[in-house]
Amino acid sequence: MDFKVDIVKLKVQDADKLLQLSKRTFFDAFAHQNSDDDMAAFAAQAYTLERITQELNNLKSAFYFILVDGEIAGYLKLNQGDAKTEFKDEYSLEVERIYILQDFQGKQLRKHLIEFAVNSAKDKGFDSIWLGVWEHNHGAIRFYERNGFTVFSSHKFMLGSDEQTDLLMRKNI
């Protein structure tokens, strides 16, 4: 590896940067497989400065930028306790979001982030880590399987007016 990778925790002052990064990575990842209307409807609800600021202020959630040579390359969101979207048990940590900008794909940055998340879970005394991944995101599913995650459930997810299915995957630690 001929570049420096850092993972830094975000503060509320990072809300604007996080909002722009969140929108960009979400559209890069999913716009080609979904309608413009559904993408716009979801973004209008999920990616607002007010919502991002609220999420950053939640003490049970944490956002992290992954930097490559000091440049923002992606981000991670971890949830515990009542910040978790589901399975609000006290023994697991949720990876709610993990995104890498297209320009930084292929640099093993997702692996850095998932290892960081697993180590965070261990440090906090959790016995598992879990996440949801769209059933049609086959590359991500394979990545998580290679990193020890297995499907344990699923849930419905509304992207605009399109009901989709997320696979829920867990790794015991």
Side-chain angles (χ1 to χ4, degrees):
M1 181 168 66
D2 57 345
F3 51 89
K4 184 175 186 267
V5 174
D6 293 298
I7 298 174
V8 297
K9 188 172 183 181
L10 276 68
K11 298 180 175 105
V12 175
Q13 298 88 325
D14 297 310
D16 284 325
K17 282 188 221 172
L18 177 60
L19 176 60
Q20 297 312 312
L21 179 65
S22 297
K23 282 184 193 176
R24 182 173 168 195
T25 55
F26 184 77
F27 276 83
D28 286 351
F30 301 115
H32 67 286
Q33 293 176 287
N34 293 282
S35 77
D36 292 344
D37 288 344
D38 286 333
M39 291 292 292
F42 181 79
Q45 169 255 323
Y47 298 119
T48 66
L49 188 56
E50 179 182 6
R51 178 141 182 205
I52 293 291
T53 301
Q54 186 177 45
E55 290 180 75
L56 282 164
N57 278 319
N58 186 333
L59 299 177
K60 297 290 185 177
S61 293
F63 284 91
Y64 301 88
F65 282 147
I66 187 164
L67 308 174
V68 172
D69 294 330
E71 188 176 347
I72 297 171
Y75 77 102
L76 169 73
K77 181 183 183 196
L78 301 177
N79 294 325
Q80 56 185 326
D82 59 7
K84 289 187 268 185
T85 56
E86 294 183 55
F87 307 109
K88 298 180 191 280
D89 66 64
E90 59 188 273
Y91 306 107
S92 66
L93 182 70
E94 177 189 16
V95 175
E96 184 180 351
R97 294 181 210 140
I98 183 169
Y99 287 98
I100 303 295
L101 287 166
Q102 284 183 339
D103 292 347
F104 293 93
Q105 298 286 330
K107 296 184 180 294
Q108 303 290 314
L109 299 181
R110 266 191 312 181
K111 186 155 182 62
H112 281 280
L113 288 176
I114 208 68
E115 287 172 355
F116 178 85
V118 167
N119 289 331
S120 294
K122 285 180 185 175
D123 291 347
K124 291 175 174 35
F126 294 119
D127 60 16
S128 67
I129 186 168
W130 68 275
L131 51 85
V133 60
W134 188 32
E135 67 181 341
H136 297 296
N137 193 346
H138 302 294
I141 293 166
R142 283 190 304 275
F143 168 78
Y144 294 124
E145 287 173 341
R146 282 193 313 270
N147 283 278
F149 286 79
T150 56
V151 174
F152 70 95
S153 189
S154 66
H155 71 182
K156 297 299 180 190
F157 174 83
M158 291 303 296
L159 184 82
S161 63
D162 185 23
E163 184 179 83
Q164 301 184 353
T165 301
D166 280 349
L167 302 177
L168 302 180
M169 302 182 77
R170 176 178 22 235
K171 176 178 180 157
N172 293 324
I173 51 175

